[in-house]
Amino acid sequence: MRVVSFRHMCSDGLCALSDTLDEKNIPYHYIDTYRDDLAVYDPLDENPLIILGGTCGVYQMEDYPFLKDELNVLEKRLAADLPTLGICLGAQLMAKALGAKVEAGTKGPEIGWYDISVNEAGMNSPVRHFDKQYTKMMQWHGDTFDLSSDMVRLASSEQYQNQAFSYGKNAIGVQFHPEVRPCTLKGWYVSAAGDVANGTLDLPKMRADTEANIDRMSQQARLFIGEWLGNVAQS
């Protein structure tokens, strides 16, 4: 097994998830879709694909044409029920590929540490490790997605009901960010300097909440990715 990850910004990466890959001696590499040629990637590669987050929206494909290339990959890949994990923008791209609507959230941005309520279906999936009884989850998004008839909701928050979904046997999308490390967020804080200046982002609170929750979330993230990889290896 080897893992491929689509990355939309050079400052991001698998971060905490890579710890489990390293422990299991699973090689991984990135394709920076905003600058690399996706023609080098076979959509029907049977190895796991992880699509990370990013600041652009699915509805901005005319401005960011690489998103169209990713969508084409995901349409083929999901139709073949190949192991695919989407995080934030990655989950939104998966939802779009499955025929669901993706749009700016009408309830405003969800940024910070929030409880996730995992439902019965989610408790029978690796997403159970993110239930509020175990940890709070890092959220940093303004967009959201609907569910198509073939997508199964796994988790919700108070603000947005579609926080995680599954499709087929091997695909999971999560709206939140289980992968982040403190160093990841330090970069995001700088990128959000405008929000800090206008008072939209309470940076001291974010830093305090991160210190209180990041270690526990990272532990749960390792359980999640380990179980997902184990499941897809057996399918």
Side-chain angles (χ1 to χ4, degrees):
M1 178 187 291
R2 57 179 174 81
V3 170
V4 176
S5 180
F6 287 177
R7 184 165 58 177
H8 304 106
M9 298 185 295
C10 63
S11 59
D12 292 345
L14 292 167
C15 300
L17 301 183
S18 68
D19 293 341
T20 297
L21 300 179
D22 291 338
E23 290 168 3
K24 294 179 177 294
N25 295 314
I26 299 174
Y28 61 91
H29 74 275
Y30 297 105
I31 297 177
D32 291 321
T33 57
Y34 63 95
R35 63 183 181 185
D36 295 337
D37 184 0
L38 258 184
V40 303
Y41 179 74
D42 178 6
L44 300 182
D45 186 337
E46 295 184 353
N47 289 287
L49 171 67
I50 302 177
I51 311 102
L52 297 170
T55 55
C56 49
V58 169
Y59 44 81
Q60 294 178 289
M61 289 189 180
E62 295 304 318
D63 294 320
Y64 304 101
F66 63 87
L67 295 176
K68 293 182 181 179
D69 297 332
E70 290 187 57
L71 188 65
N72 289 334
V73 166
L74 287 171
E75 287 174 347
K76 296 173 184 176
R77 188 169 184 81
L78 293 170
D81 198 20
L82 293 169
T84 308
L85 171 63
I87 297 172
C88 199
L89 175 58
Q92 294 161 11
L93 283 163
M94 290 172 63
K96 178 70 172 178
L98 292 168
K101 183 178 181 180
V102 181
E103 61 184 349
T106 58
K107 298 180 180 178
E110 192 173 38
I111 299 175
W113 291 89
Y114 290 84
D115 286 336
I116 298 297
S117 297
V118 177
N119 62 23
E120 183 177 355
M123 284 297 184
N124 291 310
S125 81
V127 170
R128 72 176 180 277
H129 297 294
F130 297 138
D131 186 69
K132 61 186 178 182
Q133 66 181 304
Y134 303 121
T135 184
K136 291 183 180 292
M137 298 303 300
M138 164 52 59
Q139 298 271 20
W140 201 302
H141 71 100
D143 295 345
T144 189
F145 52 83
D146 292 337
L147 300 182
S148 65
S149 59
D150 294 330
M151 298 162 67
V152 178
R153 181 184 297 121
L154 304 179
S156 304
S157 70
E158 289 188 4
Q159 194 166 342
Y160 289 104
Q161 65 174 348
N162 295 327
Q163 288 288 340
F165 67 86
S166 64
Y167 176 80
K169 295 181 179 179
N170 297 308
I172 290 178
V174 298
Q175 180 60 79
F176 39 86
H177 287 277
E179 83 285 7
V180 295
R181 287 184 173 132
C183 60
T184 316
L185 292 172
K186 287 178 181 178
W188 293 5
Y189 299 159
V190 175
S191 298
D195 292 331
V196 175
N198 65 27
T200 303
L201 177 61
D202 185 341
L203 195 52
K205 183 178 187 303
M206 177 70 83
R207 286 174 170 150
D209 289 348
T210 296
E211 184 175 356
N213 292 290
I214 191 74
D215 288 345
R216 185 59 179 166
M217 187 188 73
S218 295
Q219 292 173 9
Q220 297 304 110
R222 286 193 288 271
L223 294 173
F224 164 80
I225 194 66
E227 182 174 338
W228 180 70
L229 291 169
N231 289 348
V232 300
Q234 296 172 14
S235 64

